[in-house]
Amino acid sequence: MPGLSEIDFGQIEGLTIHQVLEQFPELQPHLDDLHDMELTSPGGESRRGFVERVMATFLGLIDQYEGQKIVVVCHGGVISSFYAQLEQGPVNDFVRYAVANCSVSHFIVTPEQTLIQMWNDIKHLDEVQEGPVKLIPSLMEGR
């Protein structure tokens, strides 16, 4: 779903913060201001556009699947934005709402309330074994 894609960073996608500030010094005053919703990466999406898109997408899913259980797989920025908006916290505080790769969060959404039953859980990653469990011959062998 396009609404669940990460924020479009435009021309700064893949750059380090040092490279961003070197190539786009005009962004400096805006990057640290968590309340600056108009910050827009050159050729990218504004913070405001991103958080509005994320909430609209989740509200659409909630309406479409009312009373059902669904699984949403998305980028960390998307889930952190959704959580920050639910909590009515600073939506641009990606430190406060940091999401670990491969983490699981569980929200129960009803018309009356939203229950955050699990947030950013990575216990399942502790069980990942070191090294291969089984060696499977290459599919490319003999081609």
Side-chain angles (χ1 to χ4, degrees):
M1 297 183 73
L4 294 175
S5 62
E6 187 59 276
I7 189 169
D8 179 358
F9 286 107
Q11 296 174 24
I12 69 169
E13 181 73 44
L15 299 179
T16 65
I17 192 68
H18 177 73
Q19 291 169 325
V20 169
L21 295 175
E22 187 175 272
Q23 294 177 35
F24 303 99
E26 69 278 9
L27 296 179
Q28 172 63 53
H30 306 281
L31 289 173
D32 293 332
D33 183 355
L34 299 181
H35 302 288
D36 184 349
M37 296 299 291
E38 305 316 316
L39 173 63
T40 304
S41 303
E45 183 174 21
S46 72
R47 285 176 170 172
R48 182 177 309 285
F50 173 65
V51 298
E52 289 175 355
R53 171 173 56 83
V54 166
M55 185 53 77
T57 301
F58 275 99
L59 290 174
L61 288 169
I62 291 165
D63 286 344
Q64 184 176 354
Y65 297 101
E66 184 177 351
Q68 299 178 48
K69 294 179 181 181
I70 65 169
V71 173
V72 175
V73 179
C74 60
H75 292 273
V78 173
I79 195 68
S80 69
S81 174
F82 179 61
Y83 182 30
Q85 290 180 75
L86 289 174
E87 198 174 72
Q88 298 180 355
V91 293
N92 299 314
D93 191 343
F94 296 108
V95 173
R96 179 175 176 180
Y97 297 105
V99 177
N101 287 338
C102 303
S103 67
V104 175
S105 297
H106 183 192
F107 300 88
I108 299 174
V109 181
T110 67
E112 297 79 33
Q113 66 184 3
T114 299
L115 172 65
I116 300 168
Q117 192 164 27
M118 182 186 311
W119 169 249
N120 201 25
D121 181 73
I122 56 171
K123 287 182 221 162
H124 59 283
L125 298 178
D126 293 340
E127 298 175 15
V128 175
Q129 296 181 4
E130 297 278 333
V133 174
K134 181 178 180 181
L135 179 61
I136 300 174
S138 171
L139 294 175
M140 305 309 281
E141 195 171 302
R143 282 191 162 188

